[in-house]
Amino acid sequence: MLAKTFAGILLGLPLSMALVAVAIWIWPHSSESVVIPMMVIFFPLWIGIMAATFLFRSGVRAWAWLAVANLAAFGALFLAKHTMPGL
């Protein structure tokens, strides 16, 4: 139970940040107009990720899946930044 809690806290934070950053980066209009709404969405997203970690069968699975999700989210952010340089 404690492993799932720490997985949600420690890996949920960067995952939430990466997902919000990807959403801001790929927004079709100016990013200045969505920064504040995305900052408001960030905290409920993090809480949702922390709550979802308790759906895993073990702490090891929670750590593994959140690590993979972090790699995917930061990979998507890297691709978004490097494939859309004009935005």
Side-chain angles (χ1 to χ4, degrees):
M1 188 74 130
L2 197 57
K4 294 178 191 178
T5 303
F6 283 124
I9 293 169
L10 298 176
L11 292 179
L13 177 70
L15 179 58
S16 300
M17 286 193 285
L19 292 174
V20 167
V22 168
I24 290 171
W25 194 266
I26 64 172
W27 192 257
H29 304 292
S30 70
S31 61
E32 291 86 12
S33 64
V34 294
V35 170
I36 298 299
M38 289 297 174
M39 288 176 67
V40 170
I41 290 172
F42 164 77
F43 188 69
L45 179 62
W46 185 25
I47 297 299
I49 290 170
M50 285 193 289
T53 58
F54 293 104
L55 297 175
F56 292 105
R57 291 181 185 214
S58 68
V60 174
R61 286 183 184 222
W63 279 94
W65 279 101
L66 286 177
V68 169
N70 269 298
L71 289 174
F74 280 101
L77 181 60
F78 178 82
L79 286 174
K81 282 186 173 185
H82 287 69
T83 57
M84 296 185 289
L87 298 178

